[in-house]
Amino acid sequence: MIFRPELSPPSLVQTKRKRQALPASWMRSGTSKGLFVNRRHLPKAQEAWAPWILAAMGSKTEDPRQIDGIGGATSTTSKVAIVSPSSHPGVDVEYTFAQVAVGKNKIDYSGNCGNIASGVGPFALEEGLVEVHPGQEKVDIHILNTNTGQILVETVAVDQEGYYAEEGDFRIAGVKGTGSEIKLAFVDPAGAVTGKLFPTGNPEDTIVVDTPRATATPFSVQATLIDVANPFVIVNSSSLPLGFLEGSPEWLDMIEDIRRKAAIMMDLAETTEQAALTRGTPKVLLVSPPYSDAASDLDPRPNIFVLAMSMGQIHPSVQLTGAVCLGAASFLKGTVVHKHFRGNSRASLALNGEGSHADATDYLCTRRKIHIAHRSGQIPVEVHLDGEQRVDRCSVSRTARKLFEGNVLFYV
C-alpha cells in the first residue's frame, strides 16, 4: 500500500519546522550558569530572539524540567547573555541579559544579572571582541549592560595569547573549585532601572499588603525600596508576620505579595496583576543580623545575613546585583540595612583606600567593605561613596569557566 500524504487525516499533517544551529558557549559565571551568544548569530531584531532562546533553553513548551533544551531547570541555570561589539565611545562591548522562565514560555529582559555579567569579559576575549596588547596580564573591559544602561568595568586576567586565563587560586562561596579573580565594578549604579536611588524618595517605607493570599488579615513590613544595579526590596525580616514555615507555599505567597506591592510603590507596575507578570523585577532580599551558627565558620565575621529570593523561590546564595545593592544600602543613612549593620574592627571598613578602620557611622569614608553572609557562605562588597548619599561604584570579585562551546540545536 502506498502512503499518500494528501489523503492523510488533518491531524497527521504537520508544518515542517526548520532546525537551527546556534553557535554559543555554556559557562559557569559566578554562581550561575548561562548560555553566552555573540549577537551576530541571532536575528537582527531583538523582538525575534524569543523563539530561538526559548527553544534552545527548553522553555518553549513550558516544561519545568527544560528537558528538551540546555536549561538547568532552576532560575540560576536558565540565563542567557547576548554580547556584541560597541560603537559607544569608551565602551568595549554591549551585553543584554535574558532571564528565561522555568516552566513558562517567557523571557524577562527587565534587569541585569551580575553573576552572568562576570562572564561577559572572558567570553568577549574568547570571541575576539576586545583588543589585548602584547605583554598585558590583565585587561579592563568596559561593558554596557543594555537592560539597565549601566556601565560595568571588568578586570580580567589574560594569557600570553590574549585569551582569558581562567586558571587561578581565587575562591568564591557557592563554587567548590577555584579560578582566576574577575573584578567587577558597577559604575554609578544608582537608578539602574527606575532612575532613582530611592524610587519612593524614602530610605525606609512601610509596605502594607491589603489583600494577602496567605494570611488571614492584612499585614505590613518595614523595607527599603532601592535601585542600585537592579531594583530590590530589602525587607527587615523581623517585621515579617509570624507563623509561616520558611520556604512553604504560604510563606512564598506572602513574600510575593510583598514584592508585588513594592513594585507598585516603585512605579514598576500599576497593579498587582501587572506586577505578577514580571517576577524578576524588583527582587526581594530579607535581611537580619548574622546568625551565630551561620557566621561561626566564616572569616572575617560577616556584618549582616541575607536570604535572597529569585523568581519566586529561595536563592541558594545571593544575586551579585543583590549583594551590590545590599552593600550600598549598608552605608546609606536610614535604610533598614543600616539599622542592622554590624560595625566592628573586623568589618574591614577602609578609609580613603589606606586600610584604616572606621566606625560604621563615619560617612566621610570614600571606600568601605562589607561582608554579607548567605546560605552558601559570604561575599565581600567594596563600596565607593561620594558624600553621604551618592554611590560612586561597587566592586565584587567572581570566577568563571567555559564548560563547553559549539552549536545548540533546536527547532523554530
Side-chain angles (χ1 to χ4, degrees):
M1 179 177 179
I2 300 176
F3 178 68
R4 299 177 63 185
E6 66 271 22
L7 299 180
S8 300
S11 60
L12 298 181
V13 178
Q14 297 182 356
T15 302
K16 187 174 182 180
R17 297 178 300 165
K18 182 179 180 181
R19 190 175 79 168
Q20 300 288 348
L22 177 63
S25 294
W26 185 247
M27 294 181 65
R28 194 269 302 161
S29 187
T31 54
S32 294
K33 286 197 289 188
L35 189 68
F36 285 71
V37 183
N38 191 319
R39 180 169 181 165
R40 67 187 178 90
H41 297 306
L42 286 170
K44 183 173 294 186
Q46 182 171 332
E47 294 76 16
W49 293 355
W52 290 52
I53 293 174
L54 290 166
M57 298 299 286
S59 288
K60 182 179 180 180
T61 57
E62 301 190 343
D63 180 6
R65 297 184 302 160
Q66 293 181 317
I67 199 68
D68 207 26
I70 65 170
T74 67
S75 65
T76 56
T77 57
S78 187
K79 302 171 182 284
V80 180
I82 299 96
V83 185
S84 66
S86 178
S87 59
H88 289 79
V91 177
D92 297 302
V93 295
E94 297 179 15
Y95 139 69
T96 301
F97 170 66
Q99 176 70 63
V100 180
V102 176
K104 294 182 180 180
N105 186 7
K106 187 176 181 182
I107 299 174
D108 187 353
Y109 294 109
S110 62
N112 182 21
C113 173
N115 275 299
I116 291 297
S118 65
V120 171
F123 177 75
L125 286 169
E126 295 289 313
E127 290 287 301
L129 302 180
V130 177
E131 181 181 1
V132 179
H133 300 292
Q136 275 190 285
E137 296 182 353
K138 291 184 178 180
V139 59
D140 289 336
I141 302 173
H142 291 72
I143 302 166
L144 171 64
N145 173 239
T146 63
N147 306 77
T148 63
Q150 298 291 294
I151 297 294
L152 313 173
V153 180
E154 198 163 320
T155 304
V156 181
V158 294
D159 60 21
Q160 294 180 348
E161 297 179 348
Y163 292 106
Y164 167 52
E166 67 180 23
E167 288 294 311
D169 57 6
F170 189 76
R171 189 181 300 274
I172 62 174
V175 177
K176 296 295 185 182
T178 62
S180 65
E181 181 181 10
I182 298 171
K183 287 275 283 188
L184 184 62
F186 293 75
V187 181
D188 193 16
V193 174
T194 66
K196 300 177 182 178
L197 173 63
F198 298 118
T200 66
N202 307 315
E204 181 179 355
D205 284 288
T206 300
I207 300 176
V208 179
V209 179
D210 300 301
T211 55
R213 292 173 295 164
T215 61
T217 58
F219 67 92
S220 64
V221 295
Q222 297 305 118
T224 292
L225 310 184
I226 186 171
D227 183 2
V228 174
N230 265 332
F232 279 90
V233 186
I234 305 178
V235 180
N236 180 348
S237 60
S238 65
S239 68
L240 289 171
L242 301 177
F244 293 91
L245 179 64
E246 186 179 285
S248 67
E250 296 79 12
W251 186 88
L252 292 174
D253 282 346
M254 177 181 66
I255 300 302
E256 175 62 10
D257 284 340
I258 294 171
R259 193 196 69 81
R260 293 180 187 181
K261 185 60 180 289
I264 297 173
M265 295 172 66
M266 299 173 81
D267 289 330
L268 292 168
E270 294 183 359
T271 64
T272 54
E273 292 77 16
Q274 186 180 11
L277 298 177
T278 306
R279 303 198 75 175
T281 306
K283 297 175 174 63
V284 176
L285 303 174
L286 307 175
V287 294
S288 60
Y291 303 148
S292 58
D293 56 344
S296 59
D297 296 330
L298 300 178
D299 184 30
R301 198 165 175 82
N303 308 105
I304 199 166
F305 179 82
V306 61
L307 185 69
M309 303 300 298
S310 174
M311 302 296 285
Q313 298 295 323
I314 296 176
H315 196 288
S317 54
V318 63
Q319 304 94 336
L320 199 67
T321 55
V324 165
C325 192
L326 192 53
S330 298
F331 300 104
L332 298 175
K333 287 183 177 178
T335 68
V336 296
V337 193
H338 173 252
K339 291 182 179 180
H340 282 290
F341 186 74
R342 184 173 180 169
N344 56 42
S345 61
R346 287 179 291 182
S348 298
L349 305 181
L351 176 63
N352 295 327
E354 297 177 359
S356 302
H357 293 295
D359 184 82
T361 58
D362 182 0
Y363 290 94
L364 298 180
C365 300
T366 60
R367 181 167 66 87
R368 286 171 284 182
K369 183 180 287 186
I370 181 173
H371 293 83
I372 301 168
H374 52 74
R375 283 191 157 194
S376 299
Q378 73 167 301
I379 179 172
V381 180
E382 188 175 280
V383 181
H384 295 243
L385 298 176
D386 182 7
E388 292 187 359
Q389 295 291 90
R390 183 181 180 277
V391 183
D392 181 68
R393 66 175 56 199
C394 296
S395 300
V396 288
S397 292
R398 300 278 86 184
T399 62
R401 188 171 79 85
K402 182 186 289 187
L403 303 177
F404 73 74
E405 62 181 358
N407 293 323
V408 185
L409 304 178
F410 53 89
Y411 289 91
V412 293

